[in-house]
Amino acid sequence: MTSSSSASVLRRVGGLAVAAGSLFTAAGVGAWITVTKQLREEKIVVPGNAPVLAGKPVQDPATAYVEALVIKNNAERGAEGRTFADISEALRKVESGSDEERKLRGQSASLSTAAALRTSLMTSVLAYGVSAFAAGIGVFLAVVGTQLRRAE
């Protein structure tokens, strides 16, 4: 292969890298914006008992993560430190229809709801990470592609 044809191949590969990089960057930025928009539409505010960011709207990975932690802590406190396994075991030992059974079933339902909410918030945090990764790879590919296009 001649030097001229090698440079031509590098320029074409560079062009493909720039195109792929642009797509990755656009997809990453688009995903970030979409997740942010959806979180804002929920109008969730980090509660006052949060260790940080209290009163802030949930609209980014940090606030989503803090909100998930607050939900976890509140659910654990409401269940008096019991886990699903603890509650299930206790339910087997109490009288059906008793006040204790109702209390345990309420704790179980609260833990279940909290788990679903935390899962949704952590999925948002994960989506932010993936979108940032995609955008970062996109920028990297665009820079590499630009350099390859300059091949002589």
Side-chain angles (χ1 to χ4, degrees):
M1 200 182 255
T2 65
S3 176
S4 175
S5 64
S6 293
S8 176
V9 168
L10 285 177
R11 282 193 294 277
R12 276 184 272 149
V13 169
L16 290 173
V18 169
S22 298
L23 288 173
F24 272 91
T25 302
V29 170
W32 186 284
I33 290 168
T34 300
V35 173
T36 299
K37 182 177 180 280
Q38 289 176 349
L39 283 174
R40 281 183 183 155
E41 288 173 356
E42 294 295 324
K43 295 181 173 63
I44 304 167
V45 176
V46 178
N49 65 334
V52 294
L53 304 173
K56 301 285 185 192
V58 176
Q59 62 184 8
D60 56 53
T63 53
Y65 184 77
V66 169
E67 180 70 12
L69 289 178
V70 169
I71 290 169
K72 179 181 185 292
N73 292 337
N74 289 346
E76 287 174 350
R77 191 170 40 257
E80 300 170 347
R82 291 179 169 164
T83 64
F84 280 114
D86 296 335
I87 292 171
S88 294
E89 181 65 28
L91 279 168
R92 285 189 215 105
K93 297 176 181 176
V94 299
E95 185 178 325
S96 181
S98 68
D99 288 342
E100 181 66 14
E101 181 194 31
R102 282 189 288 282
K103 178 182 173 185
L104 290 168
R105 292 206 184 280
Q107 289 175 338
S108 178
S110 293
L111 283 175
S112 180
T113 300
L117 293 171
R118 286 185 8 247
T119 299
S120 293
L121 288 164
M122 294 308 287
T123 300
S124 295
V125 173
L126 179 62
Y128 276 118
V130 171
S131 64
F133 179 75
I137 290 293
V139 169
F140 175 77
L141 284 171
V143 169
V144 169
T146 301
Q147 295 304 310
L148 289 173
R149 301 249 326 136
R150 294 181 179 171
E152 290 185 23

